[in-house]
């Protein structure tokens, strides 16, 4: 008889090129994440497990740019799951994590007034964000306090040999998880 021919086409399994985990500070601009894969014509659908980080719950195509968000006191994360599809075939899901660290803060310090020669106690600096470290500067060494330091503001003896009051402005900068928070100031 007359032979009959037909074609069997086997499409490749689509994949997505692996994405590295990412970490950002609160309010950081997260750039567009262009998704790619080796199979021509692959499209991507994605989901995000935690919209509190600033990224929508789901979408198609590239992961859009967004502003990282974390108004809490500890790190939060969202797991982004990407599903590739091409030629009617669905490939394995690929995931990566986006972590957003909070903005470190300084617990407000009250302005302080002392008399010449009075011992000033250690000023223990604190924050609601765990692991916060502090650097500080003093605008006027004549008050008896060094010009700068790390950690708590040390004890010192208040000094003023002039006839008028003098003031130093102490500025404290908090840092946690590579994120720098707003400077807090008080006067001595």
């Amino acid at each position: 008889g007359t032979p009959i021919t037909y074609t069997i086409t086997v499409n490749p399994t689509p994949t997505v090129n692996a994405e590295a985990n990412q970490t950002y500070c609160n309010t950081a601009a997260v750039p567009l994440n262009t998704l790619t894969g080796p199979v021509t014509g692959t499209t991507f659908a994605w989901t995000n497990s935690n919209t509190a980080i600033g990224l929508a719950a789901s979408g198609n195509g590239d992961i859009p740019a967004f502003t990282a968000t974390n108004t809490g006191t500890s790190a939060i994360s969202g797991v982004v799951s990407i599903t590739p599809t091409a030629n009617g075939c669905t490939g394995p899901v690929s995931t990566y994590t986006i972590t957003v660290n909070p903005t470190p803060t300084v617990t407000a310090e009250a302005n302080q007034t002392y008399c010449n020669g009075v011992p000033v106690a250690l000023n223990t600096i604190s924050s609601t964000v765990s692991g916060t470290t502090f650097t500080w500067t003093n605008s006027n060494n004549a008050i008896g306090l060094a010009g700068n330091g790390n950690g708590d503001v040390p004890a010192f003896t208040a000094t003023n040999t002039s006839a008028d009051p003098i003031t130093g402005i102490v500025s404290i900068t908090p840092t946690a998880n590579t994120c720098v928070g707003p400077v807090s100031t008080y006067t001595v």
Side-chain angles (χ1 to χ4, degrees):
T2 303
I4 297 174
T5 62
Y6 65 97
T7 302
I8 298 175
T9 302
V10 180
N11 289 314
T13 300
T15 57
V16 59
N17 292 332
E19 297 293 329
N21 292 336
Q22 302 170 8
T23 302
Y24 298 96
C25 296
N26 180 42
T27 72
V30 179
L32 170 75
N33 186 355
T34 303
L35 302 176
T36 60
V39 176
T40 302
T42 300
T43 60
F44 306 97
W46 55 268
T47 61
N48 166 32
S49 67
N50 185 1
T51 58
I53 66 170
L55 177 64
S58 62
N60 293 301
D62 297 331
I63 312 291
F66 66 97
T67 300
T69 304
N70 182 351
T71 57
T73 60
S74 59
I76 60 174
S77 297
V79 177
V80 178
S81 301
I82 306 163
T83 303
T85 304
N87 304 308
C89 302
T90 300
V93 174
S94 178
T95 63
Y96 71 100
T97 301
I98 298 174
T99 301
V100 181
N101 289 313
T103 301
T105 58
V106 176
T107 302
E109 298 290 332
N111 293 335
Q112 303 170 10
T113 303
Y114 300 97
C115 294
N116 180 45
V118 171
V120 178
L122 170 75
N123 185 357
T124 304
I125 304 170
S126 63
S127 174
T128 56
V129 175
S130 180
T132 300
T133 60
F134 307 96
T135 57
W136 55 268
T137 61
N138 167 30
S139 67
N140 185 358
N141 294 4
I143 65 171
L145 177 64
N148 59 62
N150 295 309
D152 297 329
V153 178
F156 66 98
T157 300
T159 304
N160 182 357
T161 57
S162 73
D164 296 310
I166 59 174
T167 300
I169 299 171
V170 179
S171 301
I172 305 166
T173 303
T175 303
N177 303 307
T178 71
C179 302
V180 178
V183 174
S184 178
T185 63
Y186 69 96
T187 61
V188 178

